[in-house]
Amino acid sequence: MVDRLIGRTGRRGSSATDLPREPESPADPTAAVWARVQLARNLHRPRTLELLALIAADFVELHGDRFFGDDPAIVAGLARIDGRRVVVVGQQKGAETDENIRRNFGMPHPEGYRKAMRVMELGERLGLPIVTFVDVPGAHPGADSEERGIAEAIARSIALMTRLRTPIVTVITGEGGSGGALAIAVGDVVLALENAVYSVISPEGCASILWRTPDQAPAAALAMRMTAADQLQLGVVDEVIPEPHNGAHTDHPATAAMVKAAVLRHLDALERRPLDELVEARYRRYRALGAFTTIDVEPAAIPERPGFTDRLRNLLGGATRAATGTGPNPARSYDEPPAREEV
Amino acid sequence: MPIKLPSFRQRRDTYPSDLWTQCPACQEMLFNKQLEKALRVCSNCGHHFRLSAPVRLNLLLDPDSFVEQDPGLQSLDPLGFVDLKAYPDRVAAAQATTGLRDAAVWGLGSIGGRQVVICVMDFSFMGGSMGSVVGEKVARSAEAALDRRVPLVIVSASGGARMQEGTLSLMQLVKTVAATERLRLAGVPLISVMSDPTTGGVFASFAALGDVNLAEPNALIGFAGARVSAGTIQGELPEGFQRSEFLFNHGFVDRVVHRSDLRDELIRLVALMAPEVPDASADNGNIPAFRPLSFLSALAERVIPESGEADRG
């Protein structure tokens, strides 16, 4: 989940940004997915602050984690949306280079996540629901970030969100980059904009590890099934919010209106549920994510080299099996259909 | 000019590899039998070699106390993932070479005579990467520890989340941490032992959240790959970056423990931290395995009279 920044430098300068791109390119699935990744990374997509300006009647940003400093890559605060008071946490990239540098290209440091935790806990205490907006290439991978415990901050933020006794609605608005995204993306409901992507590692990082070259990033993007529609199928995302025809960056107000409607609809539903039930359902939601089978075989597990007598016995045993045509072959157990399947 | 005498000694590079292992840190040739005896720690420089899950369990637990749970969990291929090789082929190859079904093993055991739940990861299985099976095993071990109110020990050795299961691997961070968080709230201790390496999504979830975090000396522990940090972020990386001692100095590891002391440390910690159970434990020991059944029979007892009344009514 880590080698995410490889091959990014080209993207930053060469701005694939202003060209309105068609997400649909039916001929080549790899190209279609890659076009979506570019859309998700478009510099002019609405971020947390742009969305809030359009959907919130009031927003007061709160700063600082009370330990170390304030991280401009994460914004957090109190807002009023359609008369409803909420706590908002979101990631913030910049649209221009200056702002992007100030906001560390949207890559949060530990203090960003600790600020997020502080404000989300405030929401819990005040009885306010939490809305998070996720758009991040990944957490900041530098030495200072490691020194201050980026992994610990992410882990603790995830842990906190699994038990907060208040409704949480998460919207993936752009790049859902691995643990850096997940740290503020644990929700009762997880929504994603149509052209958003969500992945365990950046396609560049995945390609450079598994394909041994970052040039295969589009192939990696396809293999990881990182588009919003794929994530919906996998159950990681609960609902996809459609975008205006050429993508969210072409029409902020229309995008914001759709986001607002979806968020309010889910908040309405969540707020009607008792808190105990809500937190238990959230636990169950994540507890159920994963794909594995249970094989009914005791582990054969004798990796040591068999001794001479064993080999002789096997040889004879094998011969009798072959002669009678019966007897289980332990190697076959992998081919048998799964006894139980959980997805 | 001295005359070069013919050497009658065998050349170093002809050491048979099944008898000798070269230490990657100091290049010393180590005789395998002695290396095993030294718990796979280099006698010359103290380099800690990686341990397989079975060896690790033998090292830490009381002899013959381990009872493995869920040995049959096996990963599926939810994405149909193919890179240079198909994911199921990679899993099958790892199973063949390691004899394990996935990168983690969990079960019940005792340390110094006290019950624990233990989950151990194995780096040799696809880099110890955490996919659905590893996540499930960690979560189940935490739930078992909560049920029994006995300490949970997790020994991590992992490069992070498993790419081949995509965001489902990422979701294992939530699954595992949600379960360990319940332990924390219930006052059941989690001891996280980080061995080389503990990085990415495993470090950024349960491994970082131990009530006590132990680390083996000089283990690589970090979030982002050092290559990335060095390559894309300006500035020199500090000496010993992302090593156990670095984390100790920055306050994220309680103790850096040599492998030969690890079992003793765990015995002491478990003794100091284990919840004091009022002596109903004799009666508690076997119940969890039968819980579904007893739950059903309890339900049956409750339902049958009611339906009988309904019939009469």
Side-chain angles (χ1 to χ4, degrees), chain A residues 1-2 151-152 154-156 158 178-179 182 200, chain B residues 103-104 119-123 126-131 134-135 138 154-162 169-170 172-174 176-177 180 190 192-195 197-210 213 220-224:
Chain A
M1 68 186 298
V2 287
E152 193 265 359
I154 289 173
R156 212 162 284 288
I158 296 171
S178 190
L182 184 62
V200 66
Chain B
C119 183
V120 170
M121 304 182 73
D122 193 319
F123 187 78
M126 294 187 73
S129 56
M130 175 162 70
V134 172
V138 172
I154 304 180
V155 185
S156 304
S158 171
R162 187 172 293 172
S169 293
L170 189 63
Q172 305 310 308
L173 275 70
V174 188
T176 55
V177 159
T180 59
L190 165 62
S192 169
V193 180
M194 295 179 248
S195 70
T198 298
T199 58
V202 167
F203 184 41
S205 57
F206 53 87
L209 294 184
N213 290 342
L220 178 72
I221 304 170
F223 178 66

Side-chain angles (χ1 to χ4, degrees), chain B residues 56-67 107-120 150-155 189-193 214 261-274:
Chain B
R56 175 71 70 180
L57 288 165
N58 271 336
L59 170 72
L60 297 181
L61 293 175
D62 298 343
D64 299 324
S65 71
F66 183 65
V67 183
L108 314 172
S110 64
I111 292 182
R114 285 176 194 267
Q115 282 293 312
V116 295
V117 173
I118 188 166
C119 183
V120 170
V150 300
L152 172 62
V153 178
I154 304 180
V155 185
L190 165 62
I191 302 175
S192 169
V193 180
L214 304 180
D261 301 330
L262 193 53
R263 177 172 148 84
D264 289 340
E265 287 263 335
L266 283 177
I267 290 174
R268 290 166 58 203
L269 280 171
V270 167
L272 288 167
M273 295 174 80

